[in-house]
Amino acid sequence: MTRERLTPTIEDYLSVIFVLERDGEPVVGARVAELMGVTPPTVTNTLKRMVRDGLVEMDVPRGAHLTESGQEAARSVIRRHMLTEWMLSRMLSWSKLHQEAHQLEHAISDEMEAALQIELKQPELCPHGNPLPGYESVVEGWQPLTLAQAGERVIIRRIHELAEEMPEMLAFLEAKGVGMGQSAQVKEVLPFNQTVTLALPAGEVTLGFAAARYIFVERSLEQTSGSQSGIAEANP
């Protein structure tokens, strides 16, 4: 199956299945339908075509999974999408990149993909901090904001791909200063209320767990440095 024969719809399915598999989530019809915004019967029919074309195989307990050909095609789709986001980042704010790139990614040729990789100096992450295929290890140490503790200083590193499908959420985060590389302090975590409050240079923002679980952070080195400095001063 060559990429030229794949429709935009099939490429979208490949991207969704790739992300779910990468994150260890079962690729079941109901979940794919939710993410694709279609009905479960539509998913079933599309997956049957993808099985026929050698892109996916079906596994009863865990649903669909990509074949080697499917993996290769999915990596190309995602790579083209993320490279397009970087190209557009010179002109648009990061909250608008995903939707615009989605309109263009299907038209990017293999030659253009290779040229963009060279022009953009082989990026490992997209503008939202998600890994290009092959660079998943780069993000392994980052954790969802819902796992952070009150009082911790963190650095915002990543907005998960599934959250990129929520333009209103991205616009809200950008307006509140919740951007990649931004330092923040976790002011409050309320499991009973399912909210996390961050203190940012632009002010405080409270996020529900439903949104916070898609925001990945790295523990700030400032905490470690401060701790080591205090020890040094106490023990000259």
Side-chain angles (χ1 to χ4, degrees):
M1 173 65 63
T2 61
R3 180 160 69 81
E4 287 72 22
R5 294 176 57 190
L6 300 181
T7 66
T9 296
I10 295 300
E11 291 193 331
D12 290 345
Y13 272 79
L14 287 169
S15 296
V16 167
I17 295 171
F18 181 93
V19 169
L20 292 177
E21 279 199 283
R22 183 202 63 196
D23 291 354
E25 186 173 339
V27 185
V28 295
R31 181 62 168 145
V32 175
E34 174 191 354
L35 296 174
M36 293 293 297
V38 298
T39 65
T42 297
V43 171
T44 298
N45 291 332
T46 303
L47 290 178
K48 286 180 180 178
R49 293 201 302 272
M50 296 176 75
V51 169
R52 178 200 66 194
D53 294 337
L55 296 169
V56 301
E57 294 177 346
M58 299 304 296
D59 181 289
V60 175
R62 297 190 60 80
H65 64 88
L66 296 172
T67 63
E68 184 176 343
S69 295
Q71 282 274 350
E72 181 180 354
R75 290 190 186 100
S76 178
V77 176
I78 292 172
R79 202 161 41 239
R80 283 182 277 127
H81 176 85
M82 293 179 170
L83 291 171
T84 303
E85 286 185 328
W86 276 118
M87 179 177 65
L88 295 174
S89 69
R90 302 170 178 178
M91 299 170 279
L92 299 173
S93 61
W94 66 261
S95 66
K96 298 179 180 179
L97 296 176
H98 175 77
Q99 292 298 322
E100 293 295 334
H102 184 66
Q103 304 302 315
L104 299 173
E105 66 193 49
H106 305 295
I108 298 293
S109 66
D110 292 339
E111 183 178 5
M112 185 62 176
E113 178 186 331
L116 282 172
Q117 284 189 296
I118 294 172
E119 172 67 20
L120 297 168
K121 298 180 173 58
Q122 307 286 343
E124 298 179 350
L125 305 173
C126 81
H128 305 97
N130 293 302
L132 270 74
Y135 294 103
E136 289 80 9
S137 61
V138 175
V139 307
E140 285 179 354
W142 304 340
Q143 64 179 7
L145 183 57
T146 49
L147 298 181
Q149 302 295 315
E152 282 191 322
R153 291 201 64 82
V154 298
I155 302 172
I156 310 296
R157 290 299 189 194
R158 176 187 178 198
I159 308 296
H160 194 279
E161 289 98 333
L162 298 185
E164 293 185 53
E165 298 293 341
M166 309 173 193
E168 291 183 356
M169 174 180 164
L170 294 185
F172 174 81
L173 294 176
E174 186 171 45
K176 295 297 183 180
V178 184
M180 270 50 65
Q182 179 61 63
S183 179
Q185 183 175 22
V186 181
K187 297 288 289 185
E188 190 175 57
V189 180
L190 299 177
F192 70 87
N193 198 38
Q194 295 203 319
T195 58
V196 180
T197 299
L198 294 177
L200 297 148
E204 291 191 4
V205 58
T206 297
L207 302 167
F209 279 10
R213 69 192 178 106
Y214 290 124
I215 301 172
F216 286 71
V217 300
E218 180 181 25
R219 189 169 182 268
S220 176
L221 293 177
E222 292 178 14
Q223 296 172 115
T224 303
S225 298
S227 175
Q228 290 175 341
S229 175
I231 293 173
E233 290 174 0
N235 300 283

